[in-house]
């Protein structure tokens, strides 16, 4: 038997009476299903470390939208 695992639906959020939710071969998870405690902690630590580097004027390797004024080499 084939199946499906979905984390994005239209409409979002999926209504509680949606037919997909009644299918035994379909798993529907919130779009943030990957936000495990470990993933959230890692993301928060990375954001804090990036903010500290910016405050110290150190280069930021992850800039994707251009130069941040007042911050080191940026790339």
């Amino acid at each position: 038997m084939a199946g499906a695992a979905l984390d994005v639906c239209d409409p979002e959020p999926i209504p509680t009476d949606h037919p997909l939710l009644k299918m035994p071969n379909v798993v529907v998870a919130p779009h943030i299903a990957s936000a495990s405690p470990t993933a959230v902690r890692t993301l928060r630590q990375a954001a804090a470390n990036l903010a500290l580097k910016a405050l110290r004027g150190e280069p930021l390797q992850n800039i994707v939208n251009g130069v941040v004024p007042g911050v080191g080499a940026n790339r």
Side-chain angles (χ1 to χ4, degrees):
M1 176 197 287
L6 310 170
D7 75 338
V8 177
C9 299
D10 186 17
E12 186 80 39
I14 191 168
T16 57
D17 61 345
H18 196 285
L20 283 173
L21 299 177
K22 295 178 176 74
M23 299 177 73
N25 58 339
V26 174
V27 174
V28 180
H31 191 61
I32 59 164
S34 66
S36 68
T38 300
V40 170
R41 185 173 43 257
T42 300
L43 178 63
R44 288 177 180 169
Q45 287 173 339
N49 288 334
L50 190 60
L52 288 172
K53 286 181 96 172
L55 290 171
R56 291 190 295 249
E58 297 174 5
L60 305 177
Q61 292 78 25
N62 300 330
I63 300 298
V64 295
N65 61 343
V67 175
V68 177
V71 175
N74 280 291
R75 290 195 183 174

